[in-house]
Amino acid sequence: MTPNKSAVVKNGKACWQLDFGVDPITQKRVRRFFKTEAEADEEIKICAKREKSYGEFWLRMTAAERAAAVITLQEIKTNGMNVTEVWSQFQAQKKEISAQSATSPKPYFEVVEEFRRLKTEAGDSTRYVKNTCAFLHKFGVGREKQNIHEITAADLGKWMSMMAKERGWSLRTKDTYQILFGSLWSLAIKNGWAALNIVDRLQPINLPGKEVKIYTNDETLNLMAAVMSNPATQQIIAPMALGFFGCMRPEEVESKRAKSEGVPEGKWFNWADIDLKNGLVKVRREIAKVGDERTIRLQPCAVEWLKLAKELKNPLPSVNERRLVDACCKQIGLDEWIRDGMRKNCATHLRAVYKNDYEVTQDCGNSVGVLLESYAALHVPREVSLAHWKITPRRVREHLQSKAWEDVLEKASVKAVKTAEAQPAP
């Protein structure tokens, strides 16, 4: 359409205006201003050429094509974009898919199944493999037959953001899943099914720094005192001692891996794995974290606790351990149960005993390298670590008869009452 030209005054200055009328999509009047009439006339000529060119193109389209074009333009504008931006994004996406060109295209579903097979052969638990692949398949809904190299970073990023919002993922959870997808794409690259790991193109997740924590010696003393304080809780002396003084993982003591893989009950972790005479604990392949089969050398303190636990006929694996531990924590007013905290205490304080981190790793297992890297930064004084190994059954019995223990119980009781009063009425 040829615009109407007129001389006007804009911001106190004389100029020339071209009025293009109302935009049929935005329903807003379109006007452009020029300093001179010559500039306005030149724009009219350009518009006339464009109108002829675009008009001929428009007339060659079918009625359905013109209707679809208008609807698409309206949707693009409604979403705050223009045709150029949409086209640029399309080209970038096409370029990304081209960069991923595979020597041997493979559907996403089949890649996940290969991932399942490899994880199973590597010895990962049945439950872990099942849950992991189920999660990977959630992303694959609707694209099971799509070749993995055709999936873009934008596809994965959009899905991850949607799931994080819908499920309330923490940054750490999102980072864990992002790493999982990275592993899947690494497998595809290794087999020639993709040439690019799209996870590398996602926005890196800046995780907050971990707050390194262990229990103080007083907290350890109070926890063991709570365990010793009544016959019911005395039944979990063994798992508490194996954690605080034997560096075993909770899941190893509980035989979680063996249970999830259907290992017969007779092969779960039990007293036959503990050699009290020689101060050794055998963490068998069925019990250990994958690749972490080892023999733990028990310190004298640990041997004393385990002898007492055996005399009291502690079951291994223990029964109702979580409930009994919670009761002990409540009894002494301990709010935070540090994840794998007992083992972390043990590893931290073993450094003062062995004076050699390699020796510590022999008892704790293959992941303790990271653990020591973090917990060495605590700079726990040697005398504090050595005091940990003096928390023996005798020391705890003495504590149970002391004024200090009475004070612990009184403070915990007052705290419990205040907490209950603060709760809203039902």
Side-chain angles (χ1 to χ4, degrees):
M1 180 184 73
T2 303
N4 294 320
K5 182 179 72 172
S6 60
V8 298
V9 175
K10 181 177 175 62
N11 296 329
K13 294 183 179 180
C15 61
W16 290 85
Q17 172 187 278
L18 294 183
D19 187 341
F20 291 83
V22 177
D23 187 306
I25 295 176
T26 64
Q27 296 299 307
K28 294 181 180 179
R29 184 169 291 279
V30 180
R31 299 184 181 91
R32 295 184 62 188
F33 300 90
F34 301 87
K35 293 180 180 180
T36 66
E37 185 177 12
E39 290 177 349
D41 289 339
E42 182 62 27
E43 181 64 20
I44 291 173
K45 291 179 182 178
I46 293 173
C47 287
K49 290 180 180 179
R50 287 175 180 168
E51 186 175 11
K52 181 180 179 181
S53 175
Y54 297 162
E56 290 175 353
F57 175 76
W58 184 259
L59 290 172
R60 284 197 298 270
M61 295 171 66
T62 65
E65 288 174 333
R66 286 195 291 271
V70 171
I71 292 172
T72 301
L73 284 170
Q74 288 175 328
E75 290 180 350
I76 290 173
K77 283 208 169 188
T78 300
N79 285 280
M81 300 180 71
N82 58 47
V83 176
T84 302
E85 290 174 321
V86 173
W87 177 244
S88 296
Q89 287 189 8
F90 169 76
Q91 288 179 311
Q93 188 179 64
K94 188 175 181 180
K95 184 178 180 180
E96 181 177 333
I97 293 174
S98 177
Q100 294 191 70
S101 57
T103 56
S104 179
K106 195 79 165 179
Y108 178 83
F109 176 83
E110 293 183 23
V111 178
V112 174
E113 289 308 299
E114 176 63 11
F115 185 84
R116 182 197 301 275
R117 184 185 69 80
L118 292 175
K119 285 294 181 181
T120 300
E121 287 184 357
D124 286 354
S125 72
T126 303
R127 180 178 298 177
Y128 167 77
V129 174
K130 178 182 177 181
N131 292 342
T132 299
C133 290
F135 174 78
L136 292 172
H137 278 311
K138 284 182 181 178
F139 171 66
V141 173
R143 52 167 56 93
E144 293 87 349
K145 295 182 180 180
Q146 182 179 12
N147 291 324
I148 192 168
H149 79 276
E150 297 174 345
I151 301 172
T152 68
D155 295 330
L156 179 59
K158 183 178 179 181
W159 184 84
M160 290 280 286
S161 296
M162 179 193 71
M163 290 293 289
K165 184 177 181 180
E166 181 181 303
R167 302 293 175 86
W169 288 351
S170 65
L171 288 177
R172 194 165 299 282
T173 299
K174 189 174 181 180
D175 182 61
T176 298
Y177 288 142
Q178 204 158 292
I179 292 172
L180 174 60
F181 280 111
S183 298
L184 184 69
W185 255 264
S186 293
L187 170 65
I189 292 171
K190 182 179 179 181
N191 287 278
W193 303 328
L196 171 70
N197 194 324
I198 63 174
V199 175
D200 294 337
R201 297 197 172 190
L202 296 181
Q203 180 68 31
I205 297 173
N206 296 317
L207 295 175
K210 288 185 179 179
E211 184 179 2
V212 181
K213 289 183 179 181
I214 60 173
Y215 295 109
T216 65
N217 283 345
D218 283 344
E219 288 172 332
T220 301
L221 177 63
N222 288 330
L223 270 168
M224 295 308 295
V227 170
M228 286 280 283
S229 65
N230 70 75
T233 53
Q234 285 176 6
Q235 292 302 297
I236 59 169
I237 289 176
M240 296 289 285
L242 287 166
F244 268 132
F245 309 108
C247 267
M248 280 191 71
R249 297 181 176 89
E251 57 268 29
E252 292 172 338
V253 180
E254 297 168 19
S255 297
K256 278 193 174 180
R257 180 185 172 197
K259 291 176 181 177
S260 67
E261 294 184 351
V263 173
E265 186 174 347
K267 292 187 177 181
W268 296 353
F269 181 74
N270 59 72
W271 282 104
D273 295 305
I274 303 175
D275 179 358
L276 291 175
K277 181 179 179 180
N278 296 299
L280 301 172
V281 175
K282 178 65 177 177
V283 185
R284 292 175 279 111
R285 184 190 63 79
E286 299 94 335
I287 306 303
K289 185 177 179 180
V290 176
D292 228 5
E293 183 178 3
R294 64 197 187 280
T295 299
I296 298 171
R297 296 158 291 180
L298 295 173
Q299 298 301 308
C301 172
V303 173
E304 287 187 46
W305 279 111
L306 290 170
K307 282 183 177 180
L308 174 60
K310 193 168 186 180
E311 289 173 8
L312 294 172
K313 298 182 180 179
N314 277 195
L316 281 176
S318 57
V319 178
N320 296 325
E321 181 184 348
R322 184 67 261 169
R323 181 178 61 80
L324 294 171
V325 168
D326 288 343
C328 291
C329 291
K330 184 177 181 180
Q331 184 180 7
I332 64 173
L334 183 66
D335 293 325
E336 182 181 11
W337 182 255
I338 303 172
R339 183 179 180 276
D340 206 6
M342 295 188 294
R343 194 173 99 95
K344 290 171 181 175
N345 266 59
C346 184
T348 299
H349 298 313
L350 267 180
R351 301 182 74 236
V353 175
Y354 287 129
K355 301 179 184 179
N356 183 323
D357 286 347
Y358 175 75
E359 291 294 323
V360 178
T361 65
Q362 300 306 296
D363 286 349
C364 295
N366 60 7
S367 66
V368 83
V370 175
L371 184 147
L372 288 175
E373 182 181 346
S374 298
Y375 286 81
L378 288 171
H379 300 296
V380 176
R382 175 176 167 77
E383 58 270 21
V384 172
S385 287
L386 293 179
H388 169 82
W389 301 104
K390 295 178 182 178
I391 303 176
T392 62
R394 178 180 177 179
R395 172 74 181 89
V396 169
R397 289 191 184 99
E398 291 173 350
H399 182 56
L400 284 169
Q401 302 302 316
S402 70
K403 177 66 166 56
W405 176 244
E406 292 179 7
D407 291 341
V408 169
L409 296 181
E410 183 178 352
K411 288 179 181 178
S413 178
V414 171
K415 184 177 181 180
V417 170
K418 288 183 177 178
T419 301
E421 290 175 346
Q423 297 297 320

